[in-house]
Amino acid sequence: MNRKTLVPLAMIGLLAPVLVACGSTDGGSGGGDAIVVGTTDQFAATADSPAPLDPAYAYDTGAWNVLRQTVQTLMHPPRGGGEPVPDAAESCVFTDTASESYRCKLRSGLKFADGTPVTAEDVKFSIQRVLDIDADNGTAALLSNIDTIETKGDDEVIFHLSTPDATFPYKLSTPVAAIVSPKQYDGKKLREGFEVEGTGPYTMKSETDGDRVSRVVFTKNPNYKGDIKLRNDRVELRSFPDAEAMGKALESGEIDMMTRAMSPEQIKELSTAPKEGITLTEVPGLEIRYLAFNTKDPSVKNKAVRQAMAAVIDRGQIVGQVYGSTAEPLYSLIPSSIAAHTNSFYNKYGEPSRKKAAALLNDAGIDTPVELELNYTTDHYGAGTAKEFEALRDQLNATGLFDVTIKGTEWAEFRPAQKRGDYAVYGLGWFPDFPDPDNYTAPFLDKGNFLNSPYVSEEARSLIPQSRREADRTAASPAFKRIQEIVANDVPVLPLWQGKQYVAAHDDITGVEWALNTSSDLQLWELARGSGV
């Protein structure tokens, strides 16, 4: 086995026709030429989340990794990172110096699955639909500063923004801005189930087991017109219940590649005890993990409780005990590999200190031990999550200042409960929509944030649009520095660590180093079998 390590790519500035059917599918080692990719992502339709693959609702990495193969956006992230490039668009540009008017001209020849040409009105419909539905998943917040959408002829669309936003091209490159067919999608209602209609590089068929998708086969879309170059004709994405099962499938040859989320133990084993014919590749990643708080819950309403947790949690111990070399401690919502990062939590609280935590609680008149339940999801971020929360529990309880219990719940139940405010303290991960400090702040602090958090900082909310005015993103650093200070003081969220990401694949699969970008988006079109790219 060879182990490849890719140096993270430098950021640019501070940013650094689909049918779904249930039934049998081809693919796998004995089923044709499909490249088979394993994942532990779960795709479920439930009463709380009946439309997991609707672009107006989907806002998690797993769902986006299906959508990115099958729908098309005006812009898309380029292969090596950096500023988005046109995909469904032929060109896009700000037409003013204030970054308030953004004009796109559509690429010629775009067609939906039924052969209907894609027009500027379809683009307008698709974006307006997201805003009109305004799903409770926080999806629409990415596009919330759109004031009006204007069309000129069949191939030109202009977005007039309510406030300047230099990050807008990045937002148009996310699946939230997918172009969908008005014939297939209701403008006011989510599309339930697992059907997707788009103009992306692949068509898809899915196989379900009850209310869950077990595998999806992506087949090259002959009608695709865009910037992406496909290096294969077919890829299968197969969902596994856990990393262990996925690893066994890779070793047996049932799958060709496995991706998120591999366990820390698997990564260590593949690094230190190579398996014949299997290559482990580290690719640039910008994942963060954190605790978040329902600041209206009586147990954590007083920020002194949250501050005391920030003062006593030992991130280094958690990383060393659970994740090893695959993660590193994080002291801000903005990871250290993104410009504008400051170690705001370390600057305020320093090294873990029971004495400091006790003083914070005592000064606020809070009786100890403080009883808390920490909630986490069992099946969304990988096998290390349970061990991480056990370590957090043990650390907090060892101080005598807290009486902590932990509870794990499947993602399909966990996420709706979290949005309802059922949990006082809960753990989540964040894979950025795009690699800019804005995307590590606005989704947590702005109005309509994806946490559905009751916490409000008027100062932070005024700084967010201020930071977006800066086309030169380095000029936004002072605003982001102040936002990080606010978060460290108020602790609506408590950053824990930032992680690396890995892919393991058989040696005959090429393009593996491009299969995941920094936002953990799968780029399955990069994979090929048996020959270089």
Side-chain angles (χ1 to χ4, degrees), residues 129-288:
R129 175 177 180 268
V130 174
L131 297 172
D132 290 343
I133 291 174
D134 192 17
D136 68 356
N137 221 20
T139 318
L142 272 178
L143 305 174
S144 62
N145 64 342
I146 294 175
D147 185 18
T148 59
I149 306 173
E150 176 187 358
T151 61
K152 289 189 175 181
D154 287 338
D155 65 351
E156 200 167 295
V157 58
I158 304 120
F159 300 94
H160 300 285
L161 308 182
S162 57
T163 56
D165 187 0
T167 71
F168 189 67
Y170 290 80
K171 295 172 181 177
L172 285 186
S173 71
T174 69
V176 175
I179 303 168
V180 298
S181 169
K183 294 181 181 179
Q184 301 294 335
Y185 288 82
D186 189 310
K188 305 294 182 183
K189 186 172 64 175
L190 292 172
R191 183 175 185 175
E192 298 184 1
F194 302 112
E195 293 188 1
V196 181
E197 290 286 341
T199 60
Y202 294 98
T203 61
M204 64 175 268
K205 288 185 177 182
S206 68
E207 182 177 296
T208 59
D209 182 5
D211 62 356
R212 297 175 182 265
V213 171
S214 56
R215 59 178 176 171
V216 181
V217 172
F218 299 102
T219 302
K220 184 176 182 179
N221 176 10
N223 296 317
Y224 170 70
K225 303 287 185 181
D227 181 67
I228 292 171
K229 305 296 189 293
L230 278 73
R231 292 168 171 79
N232 59 66
D233 292 328
R234 194 155 54 116
V235 183
E236 178 181 327
L237 185 65
R238 191 172 300 180
S239 180
F240 290 88
D242 52 51
E244 182 180 2
M246 181 171 64
K248 289 179 179 178
L250 181 69
E251 290 185 34
S252 70
E254 181 183 346
I255 63 176
D256 299 297
M257 186 182 94
M258 65 177 179
T259 176
R260 62 180 307 269
M262 297 169 63
S263 71
E265 293 80 9
Q266 284 176 324
I267 295 166
K268 181 179 180 180
E269 182 180 354
L270 287 170
S271 297
T272 59
K275 296 183 182 298
E276 185 66 30
I278 294 177
T279 299
L280 179 69
T281 303
E282 179 188 337
V283 294
L286 295 171
E287 170 191 9
I288 68 169

Side-chain angles (χ1 to χ4, degrees), residues 323-357:
Y323 296 104
S325 62
T326 68
E328 60 186 62
L330 179 64
Y331 296 92
S332 170
L333 275 176
I334 301 173
S336 60
S337 45
I338 294 283
H341 162 86
T342 65
N343 284 320
S344 54
F345 275 78
Y346 189 87
N347 295 341
K348 183 170 180 62
Y349 301 101
E351 294 292 337
S353 169
R354 183 195 183 282
K355 181 178 178 181
K356 184 175 290 186

Side-chain angles (χ1 to χ4, degrees), residues 55 67-68 70-78 83-94 101-108 110 112 118-128 143 146 148-152 154-161 167-180 198-201 224-228:
L67 290 175
R68 283 205 182 270
T70 53
V71 297
Q72 194 173 19
T73 49
L74 291 168
M75 308 286 283
H76 84 105
E83 297 183 11
V85 297
D87 188 22
E90 178 182 289
S91 62
C92 286
V93 65
F94 279 110
S101 180
Y102 196 68
R103 183 188 303 258
C104 292
K105 183 177 181 180
L106 291 183
R107 192 182 296 267
S108 63
L110 296 175
F112 289 113
V118 176
T119 68
E121 283 296 330
D122 297 321
V123 176
K124 178 179 179 179
F125 164 83
S126 301
I127 303 295
Q128 190 61 53
L143 305 174
I146 294 175
T148 59
I149 306 173
E150 176 187 358
T151 61
K152 289 189 175 181
D154 287 338
D155 65 351
E156 200 167 295
V157 58
I158 304 120
F159 300 94
H160 300 285
L161 308 182
T167 71
F168 189 67
Y170 290 80
K171 295 172 181 177
L172 285 186
S173 71
T174 69
V176 175
I179 303 168
V180 298
T199 60
Y224 170 70
K225 303 287 185 181
D227 181 67
I228 292 171

Side-chain angles (χ1 to χ4, degrees), residues 320-513:
Q321 182 177 331
V322 181
Y323 296 104
S325 62
T326 68
E328 60 186 62
L330 179 64
Y331 296 92
S332 170
L333 275 176
I334 301 173
S336 60
S337 45
I338 294 283
H341 162 86
T342 65
N343 284 320
S344 54
F345 275 78
Y346 189 87
N347 295 341
K348 183 170 180 62
Y349 301 101
E351 294 292 337
S353 169
R354 183 195 183 282
K355 181 178 178 181
K356 184 175 290 186
L360 286 163
L361 295 170
N362 183 67
D363 291 348
I366 295 171
D367 294 332
T368 58
V370 179
E371 293 186 3
L372 294 174
E373 181 179 79
L374 274 54
N375 289 269
Y376 66 94
T377 175
T378 58
D379 61 341
H380 196 64
Y381 298 119
T385 307
K387 294 179 181 178
E388 176 184 347
F389 273 74
E390 290 168 2
L392 282 167
R393 176 198 61 200
D394 294 346
Q395 277 189 15
L396 291 167
N397 287 345
T399 67
L401 301 173
F402 297 92
D403 180 7
V404 171
T405 58
I406 59 174
K407 181 180 179 182
T409 307
E410 287 191 359
W411 179 254
E413 180 182 341
F414 175 90
R415 174 64 169 146
Q418 176 265 308
K419 289 187 293 184
R420 288 194 303 267
D422 293 356
Y423 305 142
V425 190
Y426 53 91
L428 282 173
W430 180 251
F431 301 87
D433 307 322
F434 50 92
D436 183 273
D438 178 83
N439 199 241
Y440 288 94
T441 50
F444 301 90
L445 305 172
D446 212 353
K447 184 179 179 180
N449 63 78
F450 92 103
L451 292 176
N452 197 26
S453 172
Y455 169 79
V456 176
S457 166
E458 295 296 345
E459 182 182 3
R461 289 190 178 181
S462 68
L463 288 167
I464 289 168
Q466 178 182 317
S467 72
R468 291 171 177 164
R469 293 177 179 273
E470 307 295 346
D472 175 5
R473 301 303 287 153
T474 58
S477 291
F480 289 117
K481 180 177 184 294
R482 178 57 189 150
I483 290 172
Q484 290 169 90
E485 291 171 348
I486 293 169
V487 173
N489 183 69
D490 293 352
V491 200
V493 292
L494 202 171
L496 296 172
W497 55 268
Q498 66 183 78
K500 303 174 183 178
Q501 58 180 2
Y502 296 84
V503 175
H506 288 282
D507 286 345
D508 66 332
I509 303 299
T510 62
V512 172
E513 65 270 31

